[in-house]
Amino acid sequence: MSINTSKSDLWKAFQRGDEEAYSELYRTHIKHMYRYGMSLVPVSEAFVLDCIHDVFMEIWMKRDRITEPDNIKFYLLKALKVRILHLFARTERPYESFHDSSFNELWEEPSTEEIFSQQEETVNRKEFVENLISKLPPRQQEAIRLRFIEELDYDQIGVLLSINHQSAKNLIFRAIENMRGWLLSAFVIFSSFF
Amino acid sequence: MQQPYQSYSASDFVCDDHFLAHQLSPTDESEQFWHDWRIQNPSREQHYHQAQQLLEAVRLGLSDYARNYLSEEAEARLFDRIHSSKSQIKSGQPGFKITRNPWFLRGIAACLIFVLALGAWQLKDKWMQPSLYKQQVTNLPVPAIEKINDKSAPELTTLPDGSTVELFPGSRLSYPTDFGKTNRTVYLLGKARFDVRKNPQKPFYVYSNELVTKVLGTVFSVEAFEKDNALKIVVEHGQVSVYQQKNPDTKSARTILQGVLLKPNQQVVFSRESKQFSKTVVAEPALVDDRIVDKNSFVFEETPVIAVFELLKKAYGLDIIYNEEILKGCQLTASLADEPVLKKLDIITQSIGSSYEMVEGQVIIVSNGCKSP
């Protein structure tokens, strides 16, 4: 409770134009914004940094008009994604994997043999699970990052992916089921997981 | 917490809010709840346990994402940038005391419009005409992995196929996440030295501004910074072909225009302005055939000079052109060892009373022949 109160105090101080509160907001959230932004646009760090810059400019300029968000981290991640999509739309080179859901169907599921050969190649457990995650469709990857690292709830994940609560939950369930199946088949072969 | 946990599978648990909250940051209350629940439901223990391991595996697989942080300096730099834009905007914003002079207000309005237009124009410039590198990388059908070297020393990267790249300061390299699946393609902005694993089935392509460099397996470097007018490719081992791309937006082979073939110790410089290639020998050609590093190899005693040139050709991979008829009678007695090959050529040609020229990456021996001894 006290954490929420202090977060709320911080936000109110920021809305009054307190520079210290503004830098505190930056310090607390820059790491989350950076890694989320980079996961959306891995090709250009400079682009991501520009977008983060714009988000912080925007909230400063509109600070007296923004209603206090329930979750500041979620608010900033969302603002960042909106900014990124906005700039992509302006360049008339839409980043297709963002929207195109049929893109997911192109993602073929790895066969047991592929997992087998991958297990041989990868030197450690971390690399092995990283490889499996990279086999998930991009939206499932984004969803599990938001869920298991950013610790957002299904409603918030739904907003970021433009889907409802239930679809967000289904998306993550499917990702987890995929991972479980692959890990189990690796286990059957190598007895090294579970 | 009235959930039908009795029928939960491992994946159901992982997707459950209370389960996740308890695994990530347990409280006394959640500890108590799950402790009691597990005692009451021993039949679900296997699923609960598997769920814990599944969650751990997923978080392990995401740990690179979780640890993808900016350096503290970069964080501070970005904040300074935000801070300075903020203070610029502040003075341009209405909100400070406005004087009654209408001309003053109009002045402000004009300034604002000018600033906005300038900003929009710069943004347009920045996003409508991104560098070829940015265009190519953003147009890839699959996501790309980008390595940026913002340090002061070169950095070594290993590509999925085992080839290595030494990325120089201020340079960036991207490759698609499916690198190696159908072909091996990387995109470079800046300077890098490549040591490419041989794989004739999958040629290795480097896209750098207007040029494409195609190799099968070799050591070479590419220098193509955004701001520079000249692009340079230098070959150490193997053979490399360099093409100009007609339309940099596409990477189809049909758009390839003109190109040059490079052998070891050759380099090509491409002028972006004149669109011309110029092929030359590198300033200090290195030995390419290690079998000839024997110290006595360059000790000659009344050796036909033709044999000497043939040896140099092999050792340094150089194209040495001479007229066999004219040089037939020339012999060389000299002891050469550590001097660079161009120095060696100087000594050899001078001792037989001739000279050499470098044309288009080739060494041409100019001689009137030797008098028979």
Side-chain angles (χ1 to χ4, degrees):
Chain A
M1 199 57 203
S2 66
I3 296 169
N4 280 337
T5 330
S6 72
K7 274 185 184 163
S8 173
D9 286 347
L10 181 68
W11 187 264
K12 291 200 173 84
F14 152 70
Q15 288 195 306
R16 287 193 301 270
D18 182 321
E19 300 264 352
E20 194 39 54
Y22 183 67
S23 357
E24 183 60 32
L25 277 181
Y26 175 84
R27 278 197 299 275
T28 325
H29 298 98
I30 176 64
K31 287 188 167 52
H32 303 281
M33 294 173 76
Y34 174 75
R35 67 188 180 194
Y36 182 54
M38 285 304 287
S39 77
L40 296 176
V41 196
V43 294
S44 177
E45 187 183 55
F47 178 82
V48 172
L49 295 185
D50 285 348
C51 290
I52 295 175
H53 165 270
D54 296 349
V55 167
F56 276 99
M57 288 307 299
E58 199 183 354
I59 61 165
W60 178 259
M61 278 150 52
K62 294 203 286 194
R63 65 185 180 278
D64 42 3
R65 279 169 283 154
I66 307 173
T67 44
E68 188 185 329
D70 293 335
N71 179 330
I72 299 173
K73 175 162 94 180
F74 164 65
Y75 175 82
L76 290 173
L77 292 182
K78 186 179 147 212
L80 179 62
K81 186 166 186 181
V82 167
R83 184 69 195 158
I84 287 172
L85 288 177
H86 176 70
L87 284 181
F88 266 114
R90 278 172 63 136
T91 58
E92 288 165 14
R93 285 185 288 106
Y95 193 66
E96 275 157 29
S97 64
F98 272 150
H99 295 302
D100 194 357
S101 53
S102 62
F103 186 65
N104 288 343
E105 283 148 32
L106 295 174
W107 228 256
E108 44 186 302
E109 296 209 343
S111 64
T112 311
E113 290 77 48
E114 268 181 90
I115 290 169
F116 182 94
S117 69
Q118 215 157 53
Q119 173 87 338
E120 274 184 333
E121 282 167 18
T122 49
V123 284
N124 61 42
R125 206 174 118 90
K126 173 171 165 277
E127 240 178 83
F128 179 64
V129 278
E130 260 171 14
N131 260 320
L132 292 184
I133 288 177
S134 69
K135 298 275 182 292
L136 293 171
R139 278 170 73 84
Q140 287 186 19
Q141 291 184 37
E142 184 177 349
I144 61 170
R145 280 183 211 121
L146 294 171
R147 175 71 181 166
F148 298 110
I149 302 296
E150 303 304 350
E151 297 176 34
L152 298 185
D153 65 32
Y154 291 120
D155 284 324
Q156 294 165 342
I157 295 168
V159 170
L160 286 171
L161 293 169
S162 317
I163 50 181
N164 64 27
H165 174 104
Q166 191 55 45
S167 307
K169 199 167 179 176
N170 293 345
L171 197 62
I172 287 164
F173 185 81
R174 276 206 303 280
I176 294 300
E177 269 291 286
N178 278 337
M179 290 292 291
R180 195 179 71 98
W182 296 335
L183 288 172
L184 274 181
S185 47
F187 169 70
V188 168
I189 300 164
F190 294 99
S191 335
S192 52
F193 278 90
F194 295 145
Chain B
M1 290 198 202
Q2 279 310 309
Q3 299 281 349
Y5 287 134
Q6 287 79 1
S7 59
Y8 263 32
S9 69
S11 303
D12 288 322
F13 277 121
V14 175
C15 294
D16 182 72
D17 289 333
H18 298 295
F19 176 85
L20 183 65
H22 174 60
Q23 296 300 322
L24 297 183
S25 32
T27 62
D28 290 347
E29 199 189 340
S30 74
E31 200 73 67
Q32 187 67 49
F33 173 85
W34 286 104
H35 177 78
D36 293 351
W37 186 85
R38 287 169 74 177
I39 288 174
Q40 285 156 22
N41 299 278
S43 64
R44 302 316 290 174
E45 186 57 26
Q46 187 201 343
H47 299 275
Y48 183 88
H49 186 63
Q50 205 188 64
Q52 283 181 314
Q53 290 187 310
L54 186 53
L55 176 62
E56 193 216 308
V58 170
R59 290 196 17 113
L60 180 70
L62 294 173
S63 54
D64 271 3
Y65 167 79
R67 284 198 295 256
N68 188 11
Y69 286 167
L70 271 173
S71 67
E72 269 176 39
E73 297 100 289
E75 263 184 29
R77 263 202 309 276
L78 179 61
F79 189 70
D80 288 346
R81 208 182 118 200
I82 292 170
H83 204 78
S84 78
S85 330
K86 185 162 74 78
S87 45
Q88 275 166 22
I89 294 236
K90 225 200 259 167
S91 50
Q93 280 244 318
F96 61 99
K97 232 179 191 164
I98 298 166
T99 56
R100 296 236 174 82
N101 183 344
W103 288 107
F104 180 72
L105 268 184
R106 273 174 220 179
I108 290 178
C111 283
L112 259 181
I113 287 167
F114 179 73
V115 167
L116 283 175
L118 194 73
W121 179 76
Q122 274 175 345
L123 256 183
K124 178 174 176 283
D125 207 42
K126 203 161 172 192
W127 298 115
M128 300 301 263
Q129 289 149 348
S131 67
L132 286 180
Y133 168 83
K134 224 179 229 173
Q135 274 181 37
Q136 286 166 339
V137 173
T138 5
N139 286 339
L140 283 177
V142 295
I145 296 162
E146 184 176 51
K147 308 271 173 196
I148 300 174
N149 185 355
D150 51 9
K151 320 236 163 37
S152 53
E155 276 184 331
L156 206 65
T157 300
T158 306
L159 296 173
D161 69 337
S163 300
T164 55
V165 184
E166 194 180 349
L167 195 60
F168 283 75
S171 306
R172 31 183 76 201
L173 180 85
S174 288
Y175 54 92
T177 41
D178 65 356
F179 176 91
K181 215 172 211 173
T182 49
N183 58 29
R184 301 184 286 171
T185 305
V186 300
Y187 299 86
L188 172 73
L189 189 64
K191 181 178 176 183
R193 178 175 177 272
F194 296 87
D195 189 340
V196 175
R197 279 265 179 106
K198 202 161 201 151
N199 184 352
Q201 274 77 50
K202 286 175 187 164
F204 188 99
Y205 294 92
V206 182
Y207 283 76
S208 48
N209 292 328
E210 292 90 348
L211 296 187
V212 190
T213 307
K214 177 185 171 186
V215 304
L216 299 177
T218 165
V219 183
F220 67 104
S221 55
V222 176
E223 202 176 323
F225 286 98
E226 182 61 24
K227 54 180 197 328
D228 291 351
N229 176 43
L231 312 178
K232 188 164 120 187
I233 288 139
V234 183
V235 178
E236 290 172 41
H237 293 285
Q239 283 196 354
V240 161
S241 36
V242 183
Y243 304 103
Q244 187 193 347
Q245 287 184 83
K246 191 179 182 183
N247 179 357
D249 285 343
T250 61
K251 47 174 188 169
S252 141
R254 277 167 294 149
T255 60
I256 284 165
L257 258 190
Q258 54 163 145
V260 289
L261 183 73
L262 293 184
K263 289 178 180 166
N265 288 328
Q266 292 186 334
Q267 64 182 30
V268 70
V269 174
F270 175 78
S271 159
R272 301 173 79 179
E273 225 161 73
S274 65
K275 309 266 179 247
Q276 290 300 311
F277 286 102
S278 74
K279 185 163 136 184
T280 54
V281 171
V282 297
E284 281 198 17
L287 275 173
V288 289
D289 194 336
D290 289 337
R291 287 165 299 179
I292 309 177
V293 280
D294 180 4
K295 273 199 175 146
N296 297 321
S297 306
F298 297 113
V299 178
F300 307 105
E301 256 188 52
E302 297 188 1
T303 314
V305 78
I306 292 175
V308 175
F309 287 139
E310 286 304 311
L311 179 70
L312 290 182
K313 270 165 88 167
K314 241 169 70 190
Y316 293 94
L318 289 173
D319 252 353
I320 304 177
I321 314 248
Y322 54 86
N323 186 324
E324 217 170 310
E325 276 303 304
I326 293 175
L327 289 184
K328 224 169 25 184
C330 298
Q331 288 184 340
L332 181 74
T333 297
S335 174
L336 308 173
D338 295 332
E339 52 283 89
V341 65
L342 298 185
K343 184 77 192 150
K344 284 190 176 94
L345 276 169
D346 273 338
I347 297 170
I348 297 165
T349 48
Q350 274 167 28
S351 67
I352 58 166
S354 60
S355 61
Y356 71 93
E357 286 171 7
M358 308 266 266
V359 179
E360 292 256 312
Q362 296 171 324
V363 180
I364 296 176
I365 308 295
V366 185
S367 169
N368 294 320
C370 309
K371 289 171 210 121
S372 294

